[in-house]
Amino acid sequence: MNDSISRLLQRRSVPPRWLGEPGPSEQEVETLLKIASRVPDHGKLVPWRFILIQGEGRARLGEVLATAFQADNPEASAEQVAAERERFSNAPLVVAVVSRVVPHAKIPDWEQVLSSGAVCMNLLVGATALGYGASWLSGWAAFDRRVLDALGLKPHERIAGFVHIGTAKETPTDRDRPSLADIVTRF
């Protein structure tokens, strides 16, 4: 079995707080985005796009989160606000996958949303194949209009996920996986 298959068979989500430098190089980021873009896309509608959150962008987004969180939670402790400020600061690269359904008579919305999910999964698979740790998350920030506006999302766009990518500082223990005998039937 080759290295990539071995890595994929051991793939697990790495919490963002366990991700650090080095992150993917610019060439690796381009490769990841090409891998992510090679998903089923009925009608070639490209119902998704990417926002790369790196470098100082992570701190800028953190300030948006801290401000929104504090506005909604005026009783929040300084530690809670700081945790929101740091939410995107661990992984060197966070890719926001934006889902944008394109009205189409033959291609239902749910197929387009599934395509956006496949983009997120391909980012995880690509990061794993390149030897990086990654995690696909959403959280409150993915649904908060103030955050979406700061990221430049249009009213009809949504976040399919924030994919955090970096070098794993720790390797999480694997969770129980379903037995194929329990989840596979043949027709």
Side-chain angles (χ1 to χ4, degrees):
M1 203 174 305
N2 72 34
D3 272 355
S4 292
I5 296 298
S6 294
R7 284 182 181 153
L8 292 175
L9 285 170
Q10 296 176 34
R11 193 211 71 77
R12 61 194 71 165
S13 294
V14 179
R17 70 183 178 280
W18 292 0
L19 295 171
E21 297 287 350
S25 67
E26 283 304 312
Q27 183 178 2
E28 289 173 319
V29 171
E30 185 174 329
T31 298
L32 285 169
L33 297 176
K34 286 179 180 178
I35 291 168
S37 300
R38 295 187 66 84
V39 296
D41 176 13
H42 190 189
K44 301 177 190 164
L45 299 177
V46 191
W48 31 260
R49 65 184 179 90
F50 306 106
I51 300 171
L52 303 182
I53 305 164
Q54 305 172 274
E56 289 301 314
R58 299 175 302 164
R60 285 194 313 273
L61 183 55
E63 288 303 322
V64 171
L65 266 65
T67 300
F69 181 79
Q70 198 162 31
D72 291 349
N73 301 281
E75 74 292 344
S77 69
E79 293 80 21
Q80 290 172 311
V81 174
E84 295 305 327
R85 183 176 285 111
E86 299 298 316
R87 183 176 292 272
F88 291 94
S89 66
N90 294 304
L93 171 65
V94 180
V95 181
V97 177
V98 178
S99 176
R100 53 183 184 184
V101 171
V102 179
H104 196 282
K106 293 184 179 180
I107 302 163
D109 293 0
W110 63 269
E111 278 189 19
Q112 296 180 52
V113 172
L114 288 172
S115 184
S116 296
V119 165
C120 293
M121 191 64 216
N122 268 15
L123 280 170
L124 291 179
V125 168
T128 300
L130 289 173
Y132 292 101
S135 190
W136 170 11
L137 301 170
S138 55
W140 70 269
F143 307 99
D144 187 281
R145 193 70 244 172
R146 295 162 294 190
V147 175
L148 301 180
D149 288 344
L151 288 169
L153 271 72
K154 295 176 177 60
H156 69 282
E157 295 180 316
R158 296 185 290 181
I159 296 288
F162 292 107
V163 181
H164 301 249
I165 303 170
T167 297
K169 297 183 283 185
E170 295 183 44
T171 303
T173 57
D174 203 4
R175 65 176 172 81
D176 290 337
R177 304 292 172 164
S179 165
L180 292 181
D182 294 337
I183 60 171
V184 176
T185 57
R186 297 187 190 272
F187 182 77

